[in-house]
């Protein structure tokens, strides 16, 4: 099934025309309503009249995560606060989150693109869908929620955690769809086995998995363990959240909703467009959003684009799997974590040295996260209760800043390896698995 055949199956020529019209309108909007954009364009010597077709997009300056931090919290809005009806956020490198404001129209667009995704997965108004992405500032929960409501399905707003209850409701409510991170899905798959309830008693058929990179191997595991078809769901906070792209029944690339989010692939260092089909950094321009449109946003995600028509009939461009990111952001249990966030917490606590190591692993299909940190000589003590209190305090502070609770290990002064050049702050053992 296709949710919006007109848009999803449009000829390439018509799509480019439409993208040009929408881009022009968006450029006018940001130029007149958003000071930082106007300044940037003036510095480049361009005005909205320079943008006539989609090909002119390369004349525009890039935006990056840094811009979102520099203009925190509302400096990049192109609508007055009176028109903003939702604020969502994701972690940034400085401890300050990245904030996105949505107008009513933007939320409608989010519902529309989300509906395209869940329809492509074969779900519809008769289906119960369990949303086990986190609800809150993270776009996963509310984004998938809006998508399921738009197609008329019955949403279980479960959020993440509370595994036993997840299994119970999935069973008792007859969930056909499950939306969560692939790693959490694997964890749930094991919990489902442990529950002792025969798999035939579950109605689960479809998984909508994303928010972190996952492989074909992981897909196979998930499909076998859960007896479902596991589909990719792609998105990022800055652009809208989940719904930027989705797989179809052929599971052969992630269709992008390019009538709303115009994609380009550029060389991660030079920013120059790469030849068609080649791997590079994905860049998006939102061409219909009002609240916080972003032009040429550097996602740091590495992938390639395929413009050939898919067997499903959709003409929308397909993105290959995200190979990774060209920055230092870790995604642990679907949550974005930057080493510098951990550092900022460590530096606030007087008993600690700023020498630390993040050890990330995947054990029993669930990400583990350990923070090793050195004690200052003066505070290092044999008193167990003192050490336990301090560990608790650090873990609590890290949970507040990161939104995820690491296992904190206090280590002896000078025990973490020093470096002559760049410090190695992260050991990500998942890469070798
Ligand atoms: O993760 C939005 C989302 C929620 C997408 C639920 C899908 C499902 P952020 O927290 O801003 O937003 O993280 C965005 O996560 O730039 C990618 O690096 C990564 N990512 C998201 N989806 C996928 C995916 C949400 N399907 C960042 N495959 C992105 C690989 C993904 N990486």
């Amino acid at each position: 099934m296709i949710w919006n055949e007109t848009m999803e199956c449009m000829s390439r020529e018509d799509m480019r025309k439409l993208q040009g019209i929408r881009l022009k309108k968006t450029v006018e909007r940001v130029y007149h309503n958003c000071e930082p954009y106007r300044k940037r364009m003036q510095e480049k010597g361009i005005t909205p009249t320079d943008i006539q077709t989609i090909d002119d997009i390369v004349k525009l300056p890039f935006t990056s995560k840094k811009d979102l931090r520099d203009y925190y919290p509302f400096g990049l809005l192109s609508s007055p606060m009176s028109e903003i009806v939702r604020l969502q956020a994701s972690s940034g490198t400085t401890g300050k989150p990245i904030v996105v404001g949505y107008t009513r129209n933007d939320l409608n667009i989010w519902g529309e693109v989300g509906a395209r995704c869940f329809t492509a997965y074969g779900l519809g108004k008769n289906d119960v869908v369990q949303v086990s992405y986190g609800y809150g500032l993270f776009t996963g929960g509310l984004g998938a929620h809006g998508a399921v409501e738009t197609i008329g399905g019955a949403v279980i707003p479960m959020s993440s955690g509370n595994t036993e209850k997840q299994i119970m409701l999935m069973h008792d409510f007859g969930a056909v769809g499950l939306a969560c991170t692939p790693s959490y899905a694997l964890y749930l798959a094991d919990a489902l086995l442990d529950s002792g309830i025969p798999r035939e008693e579950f109605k689960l058929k479809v998984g909508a998995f994303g928010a972190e990179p996952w492989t074909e191997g992981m897909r196979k595991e998930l499909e076998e363990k859960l007896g479902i078809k596991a589909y990719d769901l792609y998105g990022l906070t800055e652009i809208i959240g989940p719904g930027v792209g989705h797989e179809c029944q052929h599971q052969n690339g992630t269709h992008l909703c390019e009538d709303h989010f115009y994609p380009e692939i550029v060389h991660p260092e030079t920013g120059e467009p790469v030849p068609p089909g080649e791997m590079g950094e994905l860049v998006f321009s939102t061409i219909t959003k009002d609240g916080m449109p972003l032009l040429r946003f550097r996602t740091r995600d590495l992938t390639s684009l395929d413009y050939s028509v898919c067997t499903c009939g959709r003409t929308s461009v397909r993105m290959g799997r995200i190979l990774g990111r060209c920055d230092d952001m870790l995604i642990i249990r679907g949550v974005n974590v930057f080493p510098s966030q951990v550092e900022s917490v460590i530096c606030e606590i007087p008993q600690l040295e700023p020498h630390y190591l993040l050890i990330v692993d995947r054990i029993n299909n669930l990400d583990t996260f350990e923070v090793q940190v050195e004690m200052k000589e003066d505070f290092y003590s044999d008193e167990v209760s003192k050490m336990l209190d301090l560990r608790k305090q650090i873990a609590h502070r890290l949970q507040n800043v990161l939104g995820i609770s690491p296992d904190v290990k206090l280590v002896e002064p000078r025990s973490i390896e020093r470096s002559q050049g760049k410090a190695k702050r992260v050991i990500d053992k998942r890469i070798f698995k």
Side-chain angles (χ1 to χ4, degrees):
M1 281 283 290
I2 296 179
W3 176 258
N4 185 340
E5 214 166 318
T6 315
M7 288 299 165
E8 296 178 73
C9 303
M10 192 178 275
S11 74
R12 181 63 29 210
E13 201 190 337
D14 288 350
M15 178 57 73
R16 287 192 74 76
K17 264 192 218 146
L18 179 71
Q19 288 168 330
I21 293 165
R22 291 180 165 183
L23 175 69
K24 194 169 150 55
K25 226 173 124 190
T26 303
V27 170
E28 273 159 15
R29 180 177 189 88
V30 299
Y31 190 83
H32 296 297
N33 297 347
C34 185
E35 171 87 22
Y37 267 113
R38 183 165 53 249
K39 265 200 180 146
R40 280 277 177 84
M41 286 174 64
Q42 283 166 347
E43 275 161 25
K44 271 206 138 196
I46 50 171
T47 65
T49 50
D50 291 305
I51 308 301
Q52 294 300 330
T53 72
I54 195 68
D55 293 325
D56 294 323
I57 199 163
V58 292
K59 297 177 185 165
L60 293 167
F62 288 117
T63 44
S64 67
K65 259 195 200 298
K66 184 175 180 305
D67 295 315
L68 278 105
R69 285 199 300 273
D70 290 350
Y71 295 105
Y72 173 87
F74 302 135
L76 288 180
L77 290 184
S78 289
S79 291
M81 198 43 91
S82 57
E83 282 172 27
I84 299 294
V85 297
R86 174 87 67 81
L87 294 165
Q88 303 266 179
S90 89
S91 319
T93 50
T94 58
K96 291 275 190 198
I98 272 160
V99 185
V100 178
Y102 304 68
T103 62
R104 173 74 49 203
N105 182 47
D106 296 336
L107 288 187
N108 290 341
I109 291 169
W110 201 3
E112 156 73 21
V113 293
R116 292 185 195 176
C117 304
F118 282 72
T119 304
Y121 305 151
L123 295 167
K125 63 180 180 175
N126 296 318
D127 296 318
V128 175
V129 181
Q130 183 155 332
V131 175
S132 305
Y133 286 114
Y135 278 63
L137 288 174
F138 175 55
T139 55
L142 284 163
H145 185 107
V148 177
E149 282 193 348
T150 308
I151 61 170
V155 60
I156 311 176
M158 191 62 215
S159 200
S160 51
N162 208 344
T163 308
E164 268 176 36
K165 198 167 180 186
Q166 298 265 1
I167 302 299
M168 182 179 87
L169 296 192
M170 191 187 290
H171 174 264
D172 296 353
F173 292 4
V176 170
L178 169 67
C180 63
T181 61
S183 48
Y184 193 50
L186 265 185
Y187 187 68
L188 287 176
D190 289 342
L192 196 147
L193 263 181
D194 295 345
S195 73
I197 309 172
R199 208 173 74 180
E200 314 78 72
E201 286 190 19
F202 289 86
K203 292 204 178 133
L204 208 60
K205 285 199 186 83
V206 165
F209 301 139
E212 63 185 359
W214 58 306
T215 57
E216 282 303 316
M218 175 81 129
R219 186 197 322 260
K220 238 181 115 204
E221 282 244 16
L222 284 168
E223 293 194 334
E224 274 165 18
K225 283 194 164 164
L226 287 165
I228 59 167
K229 271 192 102 169
Y231 293 103
D232 187 47
L233 173 62
Y234 174 76
L236 56 162
T237 313
E238 295 86 345
I239 299 306
I240 204 148
V244 175
H246 60 86
E247 280 181 325
C248 64
Q249 72 267 33
H250 298 288
Q251 298 176 313
N252 188 19
T254 298
H255 289 271
L256 297 178
C257 298
E258 56 170 314
D259 53 319
H260 292 287
F261 318 115
Y262 180 78
E264 299 170 80
I265 301 282
V266 302
H267 190 285
E269 270 134 47
T270 64
E272 289 300 317
V274 303
E278 269 188 28
M279 177 76 64
E281 181 184 342
L282 183 60
V283 172
F284 278 114
S285 299
T286 68
I287 52 176
T288 50
K289 272 172 67 184
D290 292 335
M292 204 183 93
L294 285 184
L295 293 176
R296 306 197 82 202
F297 177 73
R298 305 280 298 252
T299 66
R300 314 306 281 159
D301 287 333
L302 298 168
T303 185
S304 58
L305 295 180
D306 178 357
Y307 284 88
S308 64
V309 177
C310 182
T311 331
C312 71
R314 288 179 186 81
T315 52
S316 45
V317 61
R318 278 170 295 154
M319 167 182 98
R321 274 197 185 276
I322 305 285
L323 276 199
R325 299 178 54 84
C326 39
D327 59 23
D328 61 354
M329 189 178 86
L330 290 160
I331 300 181
I332 307 171
R333 291 175 225 147
V335 177
N336 301 349
V337 173
F338 288 88
S340 54
Q341 289 179 296
V342 176
E343 190 171 308
S344 69
V345 169
I346 286 172
C347 290
E348 281 170 15
I349 300 173
Q351 294 95 323
L352 304 177
E353 289 282 358
H355 295 291
Y356 62 93
L357 196 56
L358 315 189
I359 301 171
V360 189
D361 202 349
R362 185 163 283 158
I363 294 169
N364 291 334
N365 298 322
L366 199 67
D367 288 344
T368 61
F369 180 26
E370 182 182 285
V371 174
Q372 294 189 359
V373 56
E374 270 185 28
M375 297 281 305
K376 281 203 174 118
E377 204 100 44
D378 296 348
F379 293 99
Y380 198 65
S381 149
D382 289 337
E383 246 185 83
V384 177
S385 65
K386 255 193 189 167
M387 292 290 119
L388 284 178
D389 278 349
L390 182 59
R391 267 184 59 188
K392 248 199 212 154
Q393 186 196 331
I394 302 166
H396 181 70
R397 190 73 196 101
L398 285 169
Q399 160 79 47
N400 279 347
V401 171
L402 305 174
I404 177 176
S405 186
D407 194 359
V408 176
K409 194 166 168 194
L410 297 172
V411 299
E412 284 182 40
R414 288 182 304 278
S415 62
I416 289 175
E417 200 187 341
R418 305 292 196 258
S419 158
Q420 296 286 314
K422 284 182 197 289
K424 190 168 169 48
R425 301 291 195 202
V426 178
I427 299 176
D428 193 343
K429 297 181 181 166
R430 297 175 301 183
I431 296 166
F432 307 107
K433 291 204 161 167

